[in-house]
Amino acid sequence: MNTTVFNPTEQNERTYLEVIKQRITAEIDDTSQSVSEHEKDVAEFKEYFWENRDSMDRMEKLAVRKSITQTILIGEKVDAKRKRLFRLLKTPWFGRIDFKPDDDELPVPIYIGIHSFYDNEHNINLIYDWRAPVSAMYYDYETGPAIFAAPSGNTSGEITLKRQYRIREGKMEFMIENALNIQDEILQKELAQASDNRMKNIVATIQRDQNLIIRNEEAPVLIIQGVAGSGKTSIALHRIAFLLYRNPKTINSNDILIISPNKVFADYISNVLPELGEEKIRETGMEDLAVEILQHKVKFQLFSEQITRLLEKPDEDFISRIRFKASHEIVTKMNEFVLHIENNCFTPRDIVVKKHPVPAWFFEERFKAYHRLPLMKRLPAIVKDTADNIRIFYNYDVTAKERNEIKKAIDNMFVNTNLRKLYKEFYDWLGKPELLQMLKGTTYEFADVFPMIYLNILLEGIKPYTNVKHLLVDEMQDYTPVQYGVIAKLFSCNKTLLGDRFQSVNPYSSSCAEDIGKVFPEATIMELFTSYRSTFEITAFVQKIQFNEKIIAVHRHGQAPKVFTSNDQKEEIQIIIQEINQFSQSSFNTMGIICKFQKQADLLHEILEIEGLKTSLLTDESISFFNGVHITTPWLAKGLEFDQVTVPFCTPENYSTEMDRHLLYVACTRAMHRLTVTGTGKLTSLVNRK
């Protein structure tokens, strides 16, 4: 036994765990008392204010209100600390390294947990936050030489010991020491666990390549291109938690915004940051953003409706319209079109205000002088200059009525300022009027929404979202260059974008990391190749559907995917029922039945309900994700993961096109432990590929 090692044995570690838990408990008691005292102080301030409000002057009332506010804020901070301590009590730490700096004789034990814990009595840090600089060594090095970026500069030394623990509800389940594959061993144990109704934090199993992304503080725009199951979203959320930890004075959770694919996914990831001690952050969708910008004035097709139409009626004209509006070309052409408008839309004329003439050349001069302003923003500036000119040269102050007449006269010098008309004129100017087709009167196709917004921004400008200091965009592959053009103009803050080009549910309007990098030339692109979600057998199966030469499958083995063909649909339904029954008798928590069409999902849900089986139907209106059996579609299942997945109706009629390949790939890659594919008659060749 090495007696120079702090807590050399597992029993020593278990004893030490109990000691630390007692200290954490004592700290919880102290903070609970402090919370109670602050609550009491607030109540007393309010009571004093209420009883003396009539006799207090304005300044005293302000002082009391300020005292109440400050006391509440301090109390909230203390309560937040108490919540962190309760989390720490359940799992004080998950890892440990003993680090000996080059200048020291003895190594120092460094216990690493979700939060730090400082012993005020002995002035020592007992637990280090996983985001602390010294903790980075735990993820980046095995035993041997190591270095970390301390506040005073880089500190080099040696890691003499490395341990990993699983502690749950305050009980140590196991400890692993000093093996080179320490991360792999723990990772395998974690990956073998059943899924949950919420995404889990991964602080105990962060891998080296993931840690590099999480701790990247230099990139103003970070693009994460990762294979299915590589943990992109989790890594991005941990990156947000890291940035909040590193920059508490300049950014907080209220300054973060996530653009997520749907409400179910937003609910699924909602607990990760709170688990890491940060508040929930705001979330929106691209469609919500469009509605807000257009102020509910424009009706448009939903993204899911676009997908459904592509699947049900994939006519070439519709696809061509989508392809063009998802290209970099439309951005270039719109910029050229706005220049064309500037050169042709303004016809200056002489006007007279109260017998005071203002010549056409004056308006032309002022129009050109404001060339840096968006076209429609020039009107009020020219109106102001006209009024000033009359005051200076004619010594006459125009009235409010006359100012309105000037505005109307200048407005008439513009040929057309209506957004809808200008958007239509854009396609006429291109010589391709057929690229704009309306749906049901005044409803636009989804592919038109962001080009229209982009044109509006070029013409009128837009007030940026200055209240957002970091933007996170998930499923980046489903957004087009023009959408990123809008994002670039709306959000000048730092950004984290993540996705996988192989998981696009609409290959006609998808973007890869390189495409997005053209919009954000300052971006850093980082790639993740290891897939952790699915077993080796499931990953090998989906590689036959859509091959990705870069993917690295984790060697976690399980049951080979099952493929069933049935004689009729009734028999196929019985196979699905059998799968549900097996799930119900297993230790698994979540099962996904992923249909290509929403109407298939609706019908299957109805049939299974008649059979007495309890299932949940996920739709565009769904807002929550929970344990049990979910029937859904690939575009609503994106980002989610299930212990067990069944993909029904995999016939040649259902899955045959390149778009179908993407959808089938997304559906199958949702499976963690078990995958079943079913079809009536004959299976699609997308599954049977050798």
Side-chain angles (χ1 to χ4, degrees):
M1 183 190 306
N2 187 353
T3 55
T4 62
V5 174
F6 181 73
N7 291 335
T9 69
E10 184 170 334
Q11 185 55 50
N12 293 143
E13 290 280 27
R14 292 181 184 275
T15 302
Y16 182 66
L17 173 62
E18 296 304 316
V19 171
I20 300 303
K21 282 167 54 183
Q22 289 175 10
R23 295 190 187 182
I24 295 173
T25 301
E27 188 76 13
I28 289 173
D29 293 340
D30 289 343
T31 53
S32 295
Q33 183 178 346
S34 180
V35 168
S36 298
E37 289 172 354
H38 281 89
E39 290 173 348
K40 182 181 177 183
D41 289 343
V42 170
E44 289 177 353
F45 275 128
K46 288 182 176 179
E47 184 180 357
Y48 173 82
F49 183 83
W50 182 256
E51 291 176 351
N52 298 279
R53 66 190 186 282
D54 295 331
S55 60
M56 289 190 290
D57 60 24
R58 179 174 170 274
M59 293 304 295
E60 190 176 359
K61 286 180 180 178
L62 284 173
V64 174
R65 287 195 182 104
K66 186 176 180 181
S67 296
I68 292 172
T69 301
Q70 287 179 337
T71 306
I72 290 172
L73 288 173
I74 295 171
E76 287 175 348
K77 287 183 179 179
V78 176
D79 189 46
K81 178 184 177 182
R82 181 173 60 174
K83 289 176 181 177
R84 289 196 297 270
L85 288 168
F86 272 118
R87 292 191 196 98
L88 213 52
L89 189 62
K90 291 182 178 180
T91 307
W93 55 76
F94 55 81
R96 167 186 167 182
I97 55 173
D98 286 9
F99 180 66
K100 188 182 81 64
D102 289 337
D103 297 335
D104 293 353
E105 293 184 3
L106 295 175
V108 178
I110 298 168
Y111 286 85
I112 300 166
I114 290 181
H115 308 298
S116 62
F117 181 62
Y118 191 79
D119 184 350
N120 290 301
E121 183 179 346
H122 299 93
N123 292 322
I124 186 172
N125 211 359
L126 295 174
I127 305 172
Y128 288 83
D129 192 294
W130 67 277
R131 296 166 288 188
V134 71
S135 302
M137 292 189 294
Y138 175 77
Y139 300 109
D140 291 339
Y141 297 99
E142 302 301 334
T143 52
I147 189 170
F148 75 97
S152 58
N154 288 344
T155 299
S156 59
E158 180 186 2
I159 295 175
T160 60
L161 179 142
K162 186 172 182 180
R163 286 177 179 170
Q164 191 154 2
Y165 315 81
R166 181 188 285 169
I167 302 173
R168 293 184 177 175
E169 300 301 324
K171 301 294 183 184
M172 186 186 295
E173 295 181 5
F174 58 76
M175 179 187 90
I176 298 175
E177 179 174 348
N178 271 357
L180 285 176
N181 65 341
I182 183 170
Q183 288 280 14
D184 291 339
E185 195 167 343
I186 292 290
L187 183 63
Q188 291 284 357
K189 290 177 182 291
E190 291 298 326
L191 294 177
Q193 297 292 307
S195 69
D196 205 346
N197 64 329
R198 294 289 186 275
M199 182 179 283
K200 303 171 185 175
N201 80 70
I202 60 168
V203 290
T205 58
I206 292 171
Q207 304 298 290
R208 191 169 300 172
D209 56 345
Q210 297 173 333
N211 191 49
L212 190 64
I213 293 173
I214 290 169
R215 294 175 185 266
N216 185 313
E217 297 182 75
E218 289 75 37
V221 178
L222 183 61
I223 298 176
I224 307 171
Q225 168 71 42
V227 300
S230 57
K232 297 178 294 295
T233 303
S234 186
I235 291 164
L237 292 170
H238 284 67
R239 170 170 157 77
I240 294 298
F242 173 77
L243 294 174
L244 291 172
Y245 172 86
R246 292 282 286 173
N247 307 285
K249 293 182 179 179
T250 58
I251 189 170
N252 61 53
S253 56
N254 294 324
D255 301 324
I256 313 291
L257 179 67
I258 294 181
I259 296 179
S260 60
N262 55 64
K263 299 295 183 184
V264 172
F265 179 74
D267 178 62
Y268 178 62
I269 66 174
S270 63
N271 73 309
V272 174
L273 283 168
E275 271 188 10
L276 298 173
E278 304 296 345
E279 297 297 321
K280 277 189 175 182
I281 57 181
R282 291 177 290 156
E283 174 274 332
T284 190
M286 274 292 187
E287 291 166 359
D288 298 326
L289 203 59
V291 169
E292 184 178 338
I293 296 168
L294 295 169
Q295 300 178 331
H296 298 268
K297 294 178 182 177
V298 176
K299 295 179 182 177
F300 57 84
Q301 177 189 47
L302 300 178
F303 179 68
S304 60
E305 292 171 340
Q306 181 197 72
I307 298 298
T308 300
R309 182 177 169 186
L310 280 170
L311 294 174
E312 294 179 348
K313 301 174 183 177
D315 67 272
E316 284 303 316
D317 290 341
F318 184 48
I319 292 172
S320 294
R321 294 196 294 275
I322 292 173
R323 282 190 190 278
F324 175 73
K325 293 162 191 176
S327 68
H328 283 281
E329 182 184 0
I330 192 173
V331 177
T332 303
K333 291 298 182 184
M334 276 198 164
N335 290 330
E336 293 174 3
F337 176 62
V338 169
L339 184 61
H340 164 76
I341 293 174
E342 288 189 13
N343 293 331
N344 296 277
C345 76
F346 188 70
T347 306
R349 303 182 185 92
D350 296 339
I351 69 169
V352 177
V353 180
K354 199 70 174 180
K355 298 182 181 180
H356 303 307
V358 183
W361 63 261
F362 173 81
F363 296 111
E364 183 174 6
E365 179 186 86
R366 301 322 300 155
F367 180 79
K368 291 179 179 178
Y370 290 115
H371 68 279
R372 294 187 182 278
L373 281 180
L375 194 63
M376 302 311 171
K377 292 292 185 185
R378 300 182 198 182
L379 175 60
I382 298 173
V383 171
K384 181 181 181 301
D385 286 354
T386 304
D388 291 344
N389 182 71
I390 293 171
R391 177 174 54 80
I392 293 168
F393 287 96
Y394 297 109
N395 196 27
Y396 177 75
D397 290 326
V398 299
T399 64
K401 180 182 178 182
E402 289 164 346
R403 184 180 286 267
N404 285 333
E405 289 173 354
I406 293 170
K407 179 180 180 300
K408 185 177 180 181
I410 297 173
D411 195 23
N412 287 334
M413 297 179 195
F414 286 88
V415 176
N416 183 13
T417 59
N418 181 277
L419 177 62
R420 293 171 185 266
K421 289 181 179 179
L422 285 171
Y423 187 64
K424 181 179 183 301
E425 284 181 16
F426 168 66
Y427 293 100
D428 294 336
W429 172 79
L430 277 177
K432 298 179 179 179
E434 71 279 3
L435 287 177
L436 179 63
Q437 298 292 326
M438 303 299 292
L439 300 169
K440 297 178 183 177
T442 60
T443 301
Y444 287 88
E445 293 177 344
F446 181 76
D448 287 305
V449 179
F450 281 89
M452 180 182 284
I453 291 173
Y454 186 75
L455 179 61
N456 191 44
I457 291 173
L458 293 178
L459 293 171
E460 295 192 15
I462 194 167
K463 185 178 179 181
Y465 286 65
T466 54
N467 61 334
V468 177
K469 294 183 180 179
H470 197 102
L471 180 71
L472 193 158
V473 180
D474 208 342
E475 302 296 343
M476 68 181 188
Q477 72 279 355
D478 286 332
Y479 308 128
T480 65
V482 74
Q483 285 177 295
Y484 285 111
V486 171
I487 286 173
K489 292 182 180 297
L490 287 178
F491 303 98
S492 59
C493 60
N494 288 356
K495 303 170 187 68
T496 302
L497 317 175
L498 54 138
D500 174 18
R501 64 188 180 90
F502 286 98
Q503 293 185 66
S504 171
V505 293
N506 181 0
Y508 310 118
S509 65
S510 61
S511 298
C512 65
E514 290 71 25
D515 292 332
I516 301 167
K518 293 177 184 177
V519 181
F520 302 105
E522 74 277 25
T524 297
I525 299 175
M526 303 184 78
E527 294 193 74
L528 295 167
F529 304 116
T530 304
S531 178
Y532 300 100
R533 176 187 298 134
S534 305
T535 62
F536 186 85
E537 288 75 13
I538 293 173
T539 301
F541 181 85
V542 298
Q543 279 282 77
K544 294 179 181 178
I545 297 172
Q546 186 158 259
F547 181 69
N548 181 354
E549 62 182 8
K550 293 183 176 181
I551 198 166
I552 301 170
V554 167
H555 284 267
R556 176 175 67 86
H557 291 278
Q559 187 181 92
K562 295 181 290 185
V563 179
F564 291 106
T565 53
S566 52
N567 296 317
D568 53 46
Q569 197 163 78
K570 185 175 180 181
E571 184 182 340
E572 185 173 0
I573 296 297
Q574 288 304 311
I575 293 171
I576 295 169
I577 291 173
Q578 181 181 327
E579 290 297 307
I580 295 173
N581 289 333
Q582 287 182 358
F583 164 77
S584 301
Q585 295 166 14
S586 72
S587 60
F588 293 155
N589 294 323
T590 57
M591 177 179 178
I593 302 175
I594 305 177
C595 305
K596 177 183 173 182
F597 297 104
Q598 185 63 51
K599 61 185 180 183
Q600 288 176 337
D602 295 342
L603 180 59
L604 182 58
H605 175 66
E606 186 179 326
I607 292 171
L608 294 175
E609 288 286 300
I610 293 172
E611 293 287 337
L613 294 170
K614 184 173 177 57
T615 61
S616 168
L617 179 67
L618 296 185
T619 68
D620 287 329
E621 286 74 42
S622 299
I623 59 172
S624 60
F625 184 77
F626 41 84
N627 290 343
V629 181
H630 295 273
I631 304 175
T632 186
T633 55
W635 57 89
L636 286 175
K638 287 174 51 145
L640 305 179
E641 60 186 22
F642 303 89
D643 291 312
Q644 182 175 329
V645 166
T646 295
V647 185
F649 318 130
C650 290
T651 60
E653 294 76 23
N654 222 12
Y655 290 99
S656 58
T657 68
E658 192 61 26
M659 184 173 180
D660 295 337
R661 184 191 307 283
H662 281 264
L663 294 173
L664 188 58
Y665 179 81
V666 170
C668 292
T669 54
R670 301 308 93 202
M672 294 175 63
H673 308 295
R674 289 184 190 168
L675 173 64
T676 301
V677 173
T678 68
T680 297
K682 183 181 179 183
L683 285 177
T684 170
S685 61
L686 297 179
V687 171
N688 286 334
R689 288 173 67 217
K690 300 299 182 184

